[in-house]
Amino acid sequence: DSGVTQTPKHLITATGQRVTLRCSPRSGDLSVYWYQQSLDQGLQFLIQYYNGEERAKGNILERFSAQQFPDLHSELNLSSLELGDSALYFCASSVGLATPFPTDTQYFGPGTRLTVL
Amino acid sequence: GESVGLHLPTLSVQEGDNSIINCAYSNSASDYFIWYKQESGKGPQFIIDIRSNMDKRQGQRVTVLLNKTVKHLSLQIAATQPGDSAVYFCAENRGFYFGTGTSLTVIP
């Protein structure tokens, strides 16, 4: 158990819908990262937050957004869903150094499996 | 663009043998590298890391080698066990790029 929790574990929805994925980081971790994992694309970095502020952005679509709240939990919002958005979405957390390129270990949650029908 | 890639998508080894998983990266500014293990149905799990000022780092049954000259990383697993069967990713801190990983299968 990494100490990172993600809800829900599974999510099935239809094209065009909007969903919210939730992540609670390990106690004391200030940085939260979101990743998308699909069979053909591997593990793709989406976005990083550090202590409530966006720190780095990866291959995140404009239809996707995220935020980190004062209690440090984070939500990833996916809207106008398409079939191709079906994937595993992982959240990770780290102590989080105040740099865009952290040099500390990321601890991954168990993931949310999103299926878009 | 900058990337971290895996040389081989799959690797099969006999139980008890040593495994070597390779990884190439192209961002010469990367200064921190991590190897992760992902078992089926689970999130990636940290194995070992190495900073760019080191060439080698050893953990329990695992060793990471870093060759900055050719931008190459390798993960060596000693006395591979069935529980080592998983997908292994290398990652670097600039770009957070993981790639598709290498699937290691241990044959009993």
Side-chain angles (χ1 to χ4, degrees):
Chain A
D1 184 1
S2 67
V4 178
T5 60
Q6 289 187 249
T7 56
K9 194 167 184 178
H10 301 278
L11 197 49
I12 301 174
T13 188
T15 55
Q17 295 298 304
R18 173 190 167 95
V19 297
T20 297
L21 313 183
R22 184 189 168 101
C23 168
S24 292
R26 292 188 324 153
S27 177
D29 284 359
L30 298 179
S31 264
V32 168
Y33 312 78
W34 285 99
Y35 293 87
Q36 178 192 60
Q37 186 176 40
S38 57
L39 283 174
D40 58 343
Q41 295 289 329
L43 200 60
Q44 299 243 24
F45 167 68
L46 297 178
I47 197 163
Q48 178 204 2
Y49 279 82
Y50 173 76
N51 204 19
E53 294 188 2
E54 184 183 304
R55 176 62 67 180
K57 222 168 186 176
N59 299 322
I60 188 165
L61 300 172
E62 284 191 14
R63 300 184 285 109
F64 297 179
S65 65
Q67 52 184 328
Q68 186 180 27
F69 294 87
D71 66 353
L72 301 177
H73 91 271
S74 177
E75 292 181 355
L76 179 67
N77 301 296
L78 314 176
S79 61
S80 302
L81 284 167
E82 302 174 359
L83 295 177
D85 297 327
S86 295
L88 267 170
Y89 290 84
F90 287 105
C91 166
S93 75
S94 72
V95 171
L97 304 175
T99 81
F101 306 112
T103 55
D104 57 342
T105 303
Q106 293 181 36
Y107 294 88
F108 282 77
T112 292
R113 181 172 292 281
L114 173 67
T115 302
V116 182
L117 301 175
Chain B
E2 305 295 354
S3 68
V4 172
L6 280 294
H7 286 181
L8 295 172
T10 61
L11 178 65
S12 295
V13 298
Q14 208 70 36
E15 182 178 357
D17 287 352
N18 296 336
S19 303
I20 299 176
I21 300 172
N22 295 305
C23 179
Y25 66 95
S26 59
N27 190 341
S28 55
S30 296
D31 51 14
Y32 179 64
F33 303 88
I34 316 104
W35 280 99
Y36 288 92
K37 172 187 179 183
Q38 186 176 21
E39 296 175 271
S40 181
K42 297 184 179 179
Q45 179 186 8
F46 171 85
I47 301 173
I48 193 168
D49 59 2
I50 189 167
R51 297 182 191 275
S52 59
N53 60 354
M54 302 170 70
D55 298 324
K56 179 179 179 179
R57 189 156 191 229
Q58 286 185 293
Q60 189 176 17
R61 283 202 306 118
V62 293
T63 301
V64 56
L65 299 177
L66 174 62
N67 185 331
K68 294 181 287 293
T69 303
V70 295
K71 300 198 196 79
H72 182 269
L73 273 169
S74 68
L75 176 70
Q76 300 178 1
I77 305 173
T80 313
Q81 302 169 359
D84 295 327
S85 293
V87 176
Y88 290 82
F89 297 93
C90 65
E92 48 84 37
N93 64 329
R94 293 185 184 264
F96 308 97
Y97 188 70
F98 284 66
T100 54
T102 291
S103 177
L104 175 65
T105 301
V106 181
I107 304 164

